[in-house]
Amino acid sequence: MKIAVQHLADGWTHSVMRLMRERWRGAAGVVDRPTDAALWECGDEAAFAELYDRYAEAVWNHAYRLTASWSTAEDLTSTTFLTAWRRRHEIRLVHDSALPWLFTVAANLARSEFRRSSRFQRLLHRVPPETTERDHADQVASSVDGERRLREVLDAVELLPRAEREAVELVLLGELPIASAAEVLGVAEVSVRARISRARARLRNLIEGQS
Amino acid sequence: MNIELPPRRQLPPEIKERMRPTITRARPRGRAWMGAAAAAALVITGGVFLTQSTQQHEPAPFAAVSADLARCREALRDDRWSVVNTLELRARKVLVGIDGRLCELTRTRVTAFDAAGATAVRTPSGLVVGRPPVQARSMTAHQHDPAAPRADWSPPTVITLDLFLVDADPTKPENSTLTMEFDGHQVQLTFGDIPVRGTPQDSYSNDASTAHSANLLDRCLDNAIPKRAAPGFENDWQAGAMTGVPGVLLARNGKGDWGVCEVDDAGSGALTGTIARNPAASGVEVLHRGWVAGTGTFTIAGLAPAGTKVELDLGGGTVLAPPLPITLGSFALQHRFAPAANPPAGAMIKLVNSANEVIYIAPVA
């Protein structure tokens, strides 16, 4: 299966993303729910629980795309929200959505806590917190193949310069709009587009080199 | 360049609840920890306890949190350093800074360190600090030295949402192993693979003088931490009688156990001999007795009833009667013979009660 993710050009992705975006982008267009900013300002557990309910699925899927492992994605998602809670005074809402910032937290954690290769970290993070979801038998083969391909992509992304890697993680892996990525990264949209363009070229060479 | 991405999945409810951070749900019954919300809310006041201990230990032996914060700030040379969490284990505290830096406090030392680049580090005192697997709820630890398997032991541990502490024995060799078990899942490490971080600095919470009895006792207790004395030994101690420095300090805990600390020139020693004592009917129990040949210094310390006097009978009718203060029912006497040499043959030490009865007699040599 080959899914083209070029700014949500693919029909399947586009339709799914359109449905999910309405939920992910927070309360900007929803009148009967408090905005992300309002929830964040509350700063209490109930408000944070609401934010978790809003974005858990999005962060979980993004975490998988950052790690190529569903069990690690669980750890990463949980840790992302814990970290977000601890660092909530640092949050940067983008168009009243906490999601871009949560993606950034997840990406930083993935690099610092889940992908580093020190022996101890490998040992420690090999410990599953609880039982992980198992794929159905008929899904195992395609799942393994998909994870292998995703790992190849992630290995290549890891080799990108930091600025390009951050843009790729948000725009290509996270499928955030260029404008949101630019705001959370604190750069102009044109810079993000340039980074993505350069990254695509590098990734092509890297992935073709791998194969 | 098209990137192959796996399709997104719908998040199953059970996984969603499994991942849900503890701070956003009701805490399990019987758990000792407080929510991170409370921890964060009290940052300004300097931190709160957020611990779930896997073994019983005594109440906090330390002074107010503000004093801890001040000591850490001094060690870090950062007056604005803020704390988000405080963990405590066996007479030690670890303050967790909002910037990720850590500060280990004992009674007389402070060690500022960080865990950057590692998931776990150890301090020179043997405290292993690390990040547990996500939402791990319990842990145990075990140290094994292949060269001395009989000396294996299970150090006390504390685990929270963010950190775990293991009171590891720092004297174990680098090739020994530390096995940690999180919710039934084991992780075994070679002790030497855990990086050592931080340099302890002296930081006395009492009088600035290192010869102050409270400071001497604190240092003795600190130095006893790696010696793995009985649980609870570290708390509730009071300084009893002491000689000068170098010399001997006696101390008593709330259970009536007595300890002896031999203090060196630098005012440092380790409390030992924490055994419950049952003084004889006379009320005298000698806990320490020493003679440093060539220096002319004789030391004796122990338990004695109030009003006890001491006599040093040097023979030939010469009897010295140095003062013998009784503190908490204990005495400590140090006598330097002049000139510095061995005492006269047959010299005796006597303890005499208020009725002028000799209740203890022994040769000095």
Side-chain angles (χ1 to χ4, degrees):
Chain A
M1 180 173 59
K2 193 178 184 75
I3 301 167
V5 183
Q6 275 188 308
H7 305 293
L8 314 180
D10 178 80
W12 177 89
T13 310
H14 182 77
S15 60
V16 172
M17 286 302 298
R18 183 168 50 77
L19 291 172
M20 298 181 89
R21 278 270 164 71
E22 288 178 3
R23 294 191 353 234
W24 294 1
R25 292 184 69 174
V30 183
V31 293
D32 59 345
R33 294 197 309 177
T35 64
D36 283 7
L39 287 171
W40 219 270
E41 282 174 7
C42 287
D44 61 14
E45 295 181 17
F48 193 73
E50 170 66 23
L51 283 167
Y52 176 78
D53 289 337
R54 251 174 224 189
Y55 296 125
E57 183 171 288
V59 172
W60 178 61
N61 274 288
H62 188 55
Y64 174 68
R65 291 183 175 185
L66 292 169
T67 62
S69 161
W70 285 111
S71 61
T72 305
E74 281 192 40
D75 285 359
L76 181 53
T77 303
S78 192
T79 307
T80 295
F81 279 96
L82 280 171
T83 303
W85 170 259
R86 287 200 300 265
R87 297 182 181 170
R88 60 196 185 284
H89 59 284
E90 300 172 12
I91 187 175
R92 182 192 293 227
L93 293 175
V94 176
H95 306 308
D96 190 44
S97 173
L99 189 62
W101 184 71
L102 288 170
F103 277 10
T104 304
V105 171
N108 289 338
L109 287 171
R111 266 192 299 282
S112 64
E113 301 295 333
F114 289 83
R115 211 182 289 161
R116 289 275 167 81
S117 58
S118 82
R119 179 165 173 262
F120 181 80
Q121 285 177 325
R122 285 205 308 275
L123 281 167
L124 202 56
H125 289 295
R126 196 174 294 160
V127 179
E130 295 180 36
T131 55
T132 56
E133 184 196 30
R134 299 295 178 200
D135 291 297
H136 295 297
D138 58 353
Q139 294 177 328
V140 168
S142 62
S143 173
V144 168
D145 193 42
E147 288 193 2
R148 182 185 58 77
R149 288 200 305 270
L150 181 56
R151 280 203 183 89
E152 289 173 357
V153 171
L154 293 177
D155 287 345
V157 170
E158 191 71 14
L159 297 174
L160 294 174
R162 179 180 171 181
E164 292 175 21
R165 188 183 65 225
E166 290 173 343
V168 165
E169 286 170 346
L170 290 173
V171 176
L172 298 187
L173 300 181
E175 300 179 72
L176 288 178
I178 294 280
S180 298
E183 190 163 341
V184 79
L185 292 174
V187 298
E189 287 186 36
V190 66
S191 298
V192 175
R193 288 187 196 281
R195 290 176 187 181
I196 293 293
S197 177
R198 286 196 300 270
R200 283 183 190 281
R202 283 189 216 272
L203 288 173
R204 183 185 305 116
N205 292 333
L206 288 167
I207 292 173
E208 285 174 358
Q210 286 175 354
S211 59
Chain B
M1 170 65 194
N2 296 334
I3 295 179
E4 291 182 42
L5 289 178
R8 293 183 185 275
R9 287 185 182 180
Q10 190 171 13
L11 178 58
E14 68 273 15
I15 295 181
K16 182 178 181 181
E17 291 314 306
R18 203 157 64 206
M19 297 189 306
R20 185 183 290 275
T22 309
I23 54 173
T24 69
R25 65 185 172 207
R27 290 185 292 277
R29 294 180 63 186
R31 305 284 303 275
W33 55 30
M34 297 169 60
L42 292 178
V43 166
I44 294 172
T45 64
V48 297
F49 292 100
L50 177 63
T51 63
Q52 181 193 22
S53 176
T54 54
Q55 77 157 39
Q56 298 291 322
H57 60 255
E58 299 291 318
F62 290 96
V65 169
S66 59
D68 300 336
L69 187 59
R71 292 170 68 197
C72 286
R73 283 176 170 170
E74 186 177 348
L76 289 159
R77 302 176 194 279
D78 182 353
D79 290 340
R80 303 181 67 181
W81 190 67
S82 297
V83 176
V84 292
N85 195 3
T86 302
L87 296 95
E88 185 182 350
L89 178 63
R90 248 183 121 229
R92 282 181 289 195
K93 277 184 182 177
V94 173
L95 273 57
V96 184
I98 199 166
D99 59 0
R101 286 185 290 177
L102 300 151
C103 177
E104 178 193 357
L105 288 167
T106 66
R107 287 178 170 80
T108 65
R109 295 187 182 96
V110 56
T111 306
F113 63 105
D114 66 64
T119 304
V121 298
R122 59 185 163 124
T123 65
S125 74
L127 192 69
V128 176
V129 182
R131 178 172 295 216
V134 173
Q135 298 198 10
R137 283 163 167 72
S138 65
M139 76 172 294
T140 57
H142 187 79
Q143 277 188 286
H144 170 69
D145 177 2
R150 291 188 177 181
D152 281 10
W153 84 304
S154 297
T157 61
V158 164
I159 184 169
T160 73
L161 286 173
D162 303 313
L163 285 179
F164 66 78
L165 304 182
V166 179
D167 181 25
D169 180 355
T171 64
K172 292 288 186 190
E174 298 288 279
N175 67 347
S176 64
T177 58
L178 173 64
T179 303
M180 296 179 287
E181 190 169 303
F182 299 96
D183 291 344
H185 300 282
Q186 282 194 350
V187 176
Q188 188 177 79
L189 303 171
T190 301
F191 201 48
D193 286 347
I194 307 172
V196 180
R197 295 280 172 87
T199 303
Q201 303 173 31
D202 284 347
S203 172
Y204 290 92
S205 53
N206 296 296
D207 185 280
S209 166
T210 54
H212 189 281
S213 64
N215 283 336
L216 286 173
L217 174 59
D218 282 350
R219 178 52 59 91
C220 290
L221 291 168
D222 270 3
N223 290 343
I225 288 175
K227 295 184 181 299
R228 294 186 279 131
F233 90 99
E234 63 267 30
N235 297 325
D236 197 21
W237 284 92
Q238 286 181 280
M242 64 174 289
T243 65
V245 175
V248 168
L249 169 70
L250 299 185
R252 185 182 71 183
N253 69 10
K255 297 176 184 173
D257 300 339
W258 281 90
V260 179
C261 184
E262 294 182 56
V263 182
D264 62 18
D265 289 336
S268 188
L271 196 71
T272 58
T274 55
I275 303 167
R277 298 283 175 174
N278 297 303
S282 65
V284 173
E285 181 79 34
V286 174
L287 302 180
H288 172 85
R289 186 187 148 92
W291 171 261
V292 184
T295 67
T297 303
F298 172 74
T299 303
I300 185 168
L303 311 181
T308 300
K309 294 175 290 187
V310 64
E311 291 179 358
L312 279 168
D313 186 345
L314 304 181
T318 304
V319 177
L320 304 177
L324 186 69
I326 304 293
T327 306
L328 290 178
S330 65
F331 70 93
L333 174 73
Q334 192 171 58
H335 184 77
R336 192 180 184 91
F337 290 89
N342 292 332
M348 306 292 284
I349 183 167
K350 297 177 186 174
L351 297 183
V352 182
N353 67 13
S354 54
N356 274 333
E357 298 167 335
V358 175
I359 52 178
Y360 175 84
I361 183 168
V364 170

